[in-house]
Amino acid sequence: MSTTIDLENAKQIRKPMEVYCGFSSLDTSATETLSELDQFPVFRDTNAANSLKQTGWNPVPLADLSGGGFALDGGAVFPVENHTASAANGKYGIQSKVGEAGEYGVAFQVRTNSNKGVSVTTKGSGRCTTEWGGQIRAEFDITEQFTINCPANTDVLVSISMLSDTERVIVYTVVPGVSINFTNDNLISLTLDLAGNLSLTEPSLEISSIELNAYYPDDISNALSALPDNVPLWYYAGYDGDYSETRNFYLSEPATMQNHVLTLRGTDMSGKLENKNIRSKVVSTGKEYYDAVKSAITSAGITLKHFQSMGAVTPYAYYGVIEEQSVQELVGDMMVSFHTAPQSFWCTYTDAGIPRLYSRMIAAGDTYRQPWQLRVWDIYEEDCADVVRNTERKISSITHEEEGEPIYTSITKVDTGGVKIDLAEKGTKYPYLQAGAITYISAGQLFINPYLPNASRIIYQDSTGVKCVVKNRGLLRLYGVPLTEKPFIYTDVPTPAQPGIALSLKPSVRGYFNSGNGIVPTNNRRFFASNITGSFTFKGDPRMQPRDTFEFHRLDGTVEVATIERIELTHEGGGTTAELHYRLGVC
Amino acid sequence: MAWITPKTDWSTGDNVTADDMNRICGNLNYLLDEERLTKVYTYKDYVFLTEWQAIAAALGDVQAFLGMETDTPDDQTSAYNFNLVESYCEQYKPLVDRIRAQESANKYVGEWYTDTEIYSGGY
């Protein structure tokens, strides 16, 4: 079914997209006093001076007959006359009466001990005036969330008069800090760079970014200069009832304001993976691998937003070994070499750059962006400009990084009853077994002698050994099993006489294992990737993201399936444009 | 207390306006034959919980008067509740009208006129 964005995209000239973005940095350490709430006739919580300061108390939509009435979706509440707001009861905030525009509104006086601005959350349309020191300092139309300049230890009178005579103005929160929502009304330009990497040789996890310039009527440069690092920025765009996913970024450099133009720049969280390493680990099923990667990503400080439980997987006869490496390298390699049949690790982007990990069967109604089954977008060359097509030399061979060391196609566990290592010293690192075999001992195979006190524990292991905390001096035994390996054999290696480039492969996982529906990693598939790439400019679509596939309808009537590598989307002057880079085929 | 045809197809996508509230209150007053629900709603108003509960109580009294089992709405702003109130109003109107018509007819049988001259003796 066509959505509103689809219908607008089909037009040669579509109406301007609604762009919503903003950021929030509340100053929880500042103290604030609110007073003089009765300047205009209002309906409010009995404890409004306190409830307005509570960001955790939810606003309660009321059975309000203004503004077209209240909906019967069960969301509105029949209000009570003397409502005391609380975390359990929610809050009404302060609500204006309804009448002549300009006659009614809400007002309050605020004072804080910091210089970091005061953020106000509202509903309805109104004109805000701020006043202190006997002078009116700013006057502007309110948005859903805006910040006012509030010098430290100064009483600032905030008056919001209604612009509509049929819809109330409601103020829900007044808190120290900077939180601003931007819309088309105050945005000057916004550029989004959603970056992926489909390189044949070294696909990596790129960092996506955002830059926005907006007009802001109040001079809040002092408050902006106090913003800490990593303040969250959010963005989405589209049309009423049909918007893109919300993309999340984080402030990457100080916000600036000059001549009422505010500039913000942010990047996504994938940069955090660069300095985060994953420890070596033996995995025998897709679930173990999934859990290991998930743990590595979340331990880098990235919050897990989407989670999918995995069913039990029968272990395969072979093992894969995740070697110690940066998570960024691991995820970059995983994007390429963990696709088997349409059921294995399809990593798509969420949060403008953080991969969404999942492994599941494709089922009817499956909404995951799995390019095997779906062509997600249609793009027509007649709607594009600057269409460019490139070719690269194909891969002719694969070599491995370390001279003389084979790449392992399978690692087999040898179950001989285990190998014992006697430990006696606290904090000492003990190597693994004899030379001549690469031996990895997974956590599941490594355990402390159960007859000793359980205060001892394993704290560290890598490819060379394991380190323990020994709480009690004495003998401690570690049990493990050696893993034997077989040399790697690619099944589809082209003959060396073929022209092309040599791919130097450093796999993130040695050996392979059962992902649940196939054997991974599938390094062979690099030979099947297309060497054709391209780019073009077009009207853009905020729903698109790297690793989506699309059908490119060429002018000559042919249709090519391609994968999006990078999109740079710009909203400016009421219009939207984009530059898209792709690689042919499903990557 | 003029009767207005109730709306009985409320859905979750519908909005309740002042006209709807006035219709509901007016119809209940009609069924009760008294101006019990006196508030005249405008777009400036909220529907307070006490007012909604008074509407529910009024419906309950109509049901009691008719000898019906009590089935009144709860305190949720739901399409179900509004359909319940307005559907019952629609259902009860003909019953109430019939009872009132019967009462009026009874008035003309065996009761003295009090505002008309009475002649006796056929003179």
Side-chain angles (χ1 to χ4, degrees):
Chain A
M1 190 175 72
S2 293
T3 67
T4 307
I5 296 179
D6 292 332
L7 293 173
E8 286 296 324
N9 283 347
K11 301 175 185 175
Q12 283 298 313
I13 301 175
R14 62 186 175 187
K15 65 181 181 187
M17 282 194 180
E18 297 165 22
V19 180
Y20 295 93
C21 56
F23 68 101
S24 180
S25 177
L26 299 181
D27 182 4
T28 55
S29 63
T31 59
E32 174 192 78
T33 52
L34 286 169
S35 57
E36 289 194 20
L37 303 179
D38 285 334
Q39 187 170 359
F40 295 114
V42 296
F43 173 56
R44 65 175 189 269
D45 300 317
T46 56
N47 54 346
N50 183 35
S51 72
L52 293 183
K53 294 190 250 182
Q54 308 299 330
T55 57
W57 296 1
N58 293 325
V60 179
L62 302 180
D64 185 352
L65 296 173
S66 70
F70 60 93
L72 287 180
D73 54 7
V77 165
F78 294 116
V80 296
E81 289 279 5
N82 295 308
H83 179 259
T84 300
S86 67
N89 296 343
K91 57 180 171 180
Y92 294 174
I94 48 176
Q95 309 204 4
S96 71
K97 288 192 174 180
V98 181
E100 295 293 323
E103 177 183 338
Y104 294 133
V106 297
F108 54 89
Q109 184 168 286
V110 60
R111 182 187 184 94
T112 78
N113 65 341
S114 83
N115 202 20
K116 297 179 183 177
V118 167
S119 292
V120 184
T121 304
T122 66
K123 184 171 183 285
S125 59
R127 185 86 179 154
C128 177
T129 305
T130 63
E131 181 182 337
W132 79 84
Q135 290 185 39
I136 292 177
R137 303 291 177 163
E139 197 170 344
F140 52 91
D141 291 347
I142 65 172
T143 56
E144 201 174 86
Q145 187 157 264
F146 61 92
T147 296
I148 59 175
N149 185 16
C150 189
N153 303 312
T154 304
D155 290 328
V156 177
L157 178 64
V158 182
S159 305
I160 304 175
S161 59
M162 294 164 54
L163 289 178
S164 161
D165 56 359
T166 58
E167 188 179 358
R168 289 175 218 286
V169 164
I170 305 174
V171 173
Y172 283 122
T173 57
V174 179
V175 288
V178 184
S179 286
I180 305 177
N181 291 2
F182 299 105
T183 64
N184 287 348
D185 293 338
N186 47 18
L187 264 182
I188 298 172
S189 69
L190 185 145
T191 302
L192 208 65
D193 183 11
L194 301 183
N197 188 326
L198 302 179
S199 165
L200 292 176
T201 53
E202 290 184 8
S204 63
L205 198 60
E206 300 289 319
I207 299 175
S208 299
S209 64
I210 188 171
E211 176 178 328
L212 70 91
N213 296 289
Y215 175 80
Y216 202 74
D218 202 1
D219 183 6
I220 54 169
S221 45
N222 281 341
L224 289 177
S225 64
L227 288 177
D229 292 336
N230 294 324
V231 166
L233 299 166
W234 52 268
Y235 154 89
Y236 64 89
Y239 300 99
D240 188 24
D242 186 19
Y243 294 104
S244 68
E245 286 181 40
T246 301
R247 312 264 181 217
N248 294 293
F249 300 86
Y250 304 87
L251 206 63
S252 59
E253 53 186 80
T256 59
M257 186 168 189
Q258 194 167 12
N259 297 327
H260 289 285
V261 176
L262 194 152
T263 300
L264 294 162
R265 295 188 180 89
T267 57
D268 71 352
M269 291 288 253
S270 58
K272 286 198 169 189
L273 301 178
E274 194 174 16
N275 300 319
K276 175 66 186 174
N277 279 6
I278 185 171
R279 299 293 186 200
S280 65
K281 187 177 176 59
V282 173
V283 294
S284 61
T285 66
K287 185 179 188 320
E288 290 177 2
Y289 180 80
Y290 180 98
D291 288 343
V293 177
K294 183 180 78 176
S295 173
I297 291 176
T298 54
S299 64
I302 296 172
T303 305
L304 187 70
K305 286 194 174 184
H306 300 276
F307 175 74
Q308 174 197 342
S309 60
M310 291 179 62
V313 177
T314 303
Y316 199 52
Y318 303 109
Y319 289 76
V321 178
I322 307 175
E323 295 207 306
E324 183 166 348
Q325 59 196 287
S326 85
V327 180
Q328 194 170 31
E329 291 170 357
L330 172 74
V331 174
D333 183 58
M334 185 174 68
M335 299 278 187
V336 175
S337 58
F338 277 76
H339 304 320
T340 59
Q343 292 92 350
S344 289
F345 292 101
W346 283 109
C347 300
T348 59
Y349 286 85
T350 184
D351 245 16
I354 305 303
R356 174 179 288 183
L357 304 180
Y358 58 86
S359 172
R360 62 178 290 163
M361 300 290 290
I362 290 182
D366 198 326
T367 58
Y368 285 102
R369 303 167 93 106
Q370 297 196 11
W372 274 105
Q373 295 275 335
L374 304 171
R375 53 137 181 85
V376 182
W377 311 111
D378 287 286
I379 300 178
Y380 293 83
E381 187 176 1
E382 63 190 15
D383 295 331
C384 301
D386 304 323
V387 180
V388 173
R389 197 175 173 84
N390 300 310
T391 57
E392 299 169 356
R393 295 168 65 200
K394 279 287 270 184
I395 297 174
S396 67
S397 63
I398 287 183
T399 61
H400 48 83
E401 268 195 0
E402 293 86 13
E403 272 304 316
E405 183 178 348
I407 299 174
Y408 302 101
T409 187
S410 62
I411 296 177
T412 310
K413 185 178 80 168
V414 175
D415 189 6
T416 58
V419 175
K420 300 173 192 174
I421 304 171
D422 290 339
L423 300 178
E425 294 299 322
K426 177 180 178 180
T428 304
K429 182 172 160 183
Y430 288 85
Y432 291 132
L433 299 177
Q434 65 277 8
I438 295 179
T439 304
Y440 295 89
I441 303 177
S442 72
Q445 299 165 317
L446 192 65
F447 60 95
I448 306 298
N449 188 315
Y451 297 107
L452 289 178
N454 60 7
S456 303
R457 60 185 173 87
I458 296 169
I459 60 167
Y460 176 85
Q461 64 180 68
D462 63 12
S463 60
T464 61
V466 60
K467 190 171 180 179
C468 302
V469 171
V470 180
K471 291 294 187 182
N472 296 290
R473 289 193 178 277
L475 287 180
L476 199 69
R477 291 196 173 87
L478 297 172
Y479 295 85
V481 293
L483 303 171
T484 60
E485 65 292 324
K486 299 178 184 176
F488 177 81
I489 303 174
Y490 281 104
T491 57
D492 288 300
V493 177
T495 60
Q498 279 192 357
I501 57 174
L503 171 64
S504 177
L505 185 65
K506 186 186 175 208
S508 60
V509 172
R510 293 184 180 270
Y512 56 70
F513 55 91
N514 184 10
S515 72
N517 294 290
I519 304 303
V520 287
T522 54
N523 292 311
N524 279 0
R525 73 183 299 273
R526 293 168 192 267
F527 291 112
F528 299 97
S530 173
N531 65 330
I532 295 175
T533 61
S535 66
F536 51 81
T537 58
F538 71 126
K539 64 181 70 168
D541 189 319
R543 299 171 297 178
M544 293 181 179
Q545 59 193 36
R547 289 200 168 267
D548 283 354
T549 56
F550 66 98
E551 284 191 357
F552 196 20
H553 300 258
R554 307 308 299 253
L555 289 173
D556 61 4
T558 57
V559 179
E560 298 174 330
V561 176
T563 305
I564 297 174
E565 182 174 47
R566 189 183 200 110
I567 301 175
E568 190 172 306
L569 190 75
T570 302
H571 300 287
E572 189 171 24
T576 300
T577 60
E579 182 173 340
L580 185 146
H581 298 257
Y582 67 90
R583 180 174 294 275
L584 209 59
V586 177
C587 301
Chain B
M1 295 176 286
W3 177 263
I4 302 175
T5 304
K7 174 179 166 65
T8 58
D9 59 351
W10 288 101
S11 68
T12 55
D14 292 333
N15 279 15
V16 176
T17 64
D19 289 343
D20 298 314
M21 293 307 301
N22 289 329
R23 177 184 67 247
I24 291 171
C25 292
N27 287 348
L28 283 168
N29 287 340
Y30 176 95
L31 295 174
L32 288 167
D33 198 20
E34 66 174 281
E35 291 290 331
R36 181 188 298 189
L37 304 170
T38 57
K39 182 167 181 176
V40 178
Y41 289 95
T42 71
Y43 70 93
K44 302 179 182 182
D45 297 319
Y46 301 94
V47 180
F48 286 95
L49 181 62
T50 49
E51 295 166 1
W52 178 253
Q53 289 172 340
I55 289 172
L59 178 65
D61 288 347
V62 173
Q63 290 165 339
F65 169 72
L66 294 173
M68 301 285 187
E69 191 174 324
T70 303
D71 184 14
T72 55
D74 59 24
D75 294 340
Q76 305 296 315
T77 56
S78 64
Y80 173 83
N81 277 340
F82 278 75
N83 280 327
L84 185 147
V85 172
E86 298 228 61
S87 298
Y88 276 136
C89 287
E90 185 180 60
Q91 180 184 334
Y92 295 156
K93 180 183 184 293
L95 301 176
V96 168
D97 286 346
R98 195 155 46 241
I99 292 173
R100 287 187 187 148
Q102 188 67 33
E103 283 181 349
S104 295
N106 288 343
K107 197 170 193 174
Y108 290 88
V109 175
E111 287 190 5
W112 296 103
Y113 281 106
T114 59
D115 59 351
T116 308
E117 290 184 352
I118 298 173
Y119 292 89
S120 63
Y123 295 107

